[in-house]
Amino acid sequence: MDMVALTLFFLNGPNANLYGLDPSGTYGSESFAAIRARCLAHAASLGVALDFRQSNHEGVIVDWIQEARGKADAIVINAAGLTYTSIAILDALLAFDGPIIEAHMSNIWKREAFRHHSFVSRAATGVVAGLGALGYELAIGAAAQLAAQGAQAGVAEG
Ligand code: DHK
């Protein structure tokens, strides 16, 4: 499969920059910079361009999702704490015409109940959670494959 011309946006939300520094260890010991480097290397190995960004600000993430329209073939997003609160991010994602993979480092369903409802999921083609940075690589691979196939919908869509 030729994925050379594809561009993916990987958008990270609030506090993702603290991965590896969190004393609870919830997100492992790998720093955000190391995770970013790993994702860029993985994308390069697949022959896709990856634009990997992080912001602590909801409006910035909305702007980036809007920027992805016409610039990106697929989006991978970990909206972090905004996953459970942001209808603005959901609306922006719903206006994006391409595959969207929702990614979380942790298994959000194993955690507090307030993390069990994701607004992002309403727009997501698929979800990867609980696999740490490996899950990020899988999310990049899935986004690239789906974009290469021109697919938007995942399986078993309601
Ligand atoms: C990251 C966060 O920062 C949390 O707010 C989410 C998500 C979970 C993660 O697992 O990557 O609840």
Side-chain angles (χ1 to χ4, degrees):
M1 192 179 305
D2 181 13
M3 295 180 181
V4 172
L6 296 175
T7 297
L8 312 181
F9 273 23
F10 195 136
L11 306 179
N12 295 275
N15 304 305
N17 53 310
L18 299 180
Y19 289 159
L21 304 174
D22 169 8
S24 75
T26 306
Y27 304 111
S29 58
E30 227 173 333
S31 70
F32 186 68
I35 292 168
R36 179 177 186 277
R38 195 168 153 176
C39 288
L40 290 172
H42 188 63
S45 78
L46 296 175
V48 299
L50 185 68
D51 197 331
F52 192 94
R53 306 180 186 183
Q54 188 271 332
S55 176
N56 292 330
H57 305 282
E58 182 177 13
V60 172
I61 295 168
V62 170
D63 284 344
W64 286 345
I65 296 166
Q66 290 189 11
E67 185 187 335
R69 288 157 50 87
K71 261 196 192 175
D73 299 289
I75 295 174
V76 179
I77 182 163
N78 183 350
L82 293 169
T83 302
Y84 320 104
T85 62
S86 182
I87 293 168
I89 287 177
L90 168 62
D91 285 345
L93 289 170
L94 288 171
F96 178 74
D97 184 22
I100 296 168
I101 307 297
E102 176 180 0
H104 299 282
M105 294 283 282
S106 64
N107 180 350
I108 58 174
W109 298 281
K110 224 173 159 179
R111 301 181 63 191
E112 306 94 323
F114 61 81
R115 296 182 206 272
H116 296 176
H117 177 268
S118 162
F119 283 109
V120 170
S121 287
R122 282 195 75 89
T125 311
V127 183
V128 178
L131 301 175
L134 169 63
Y136 280 13
E137 291 182 352
L138 296 172
I140 290 165
Q145 276 205 36
L146 290 170
Q149 291 162 6
Q152 185 179 357
V155 291
E157 288 240 325

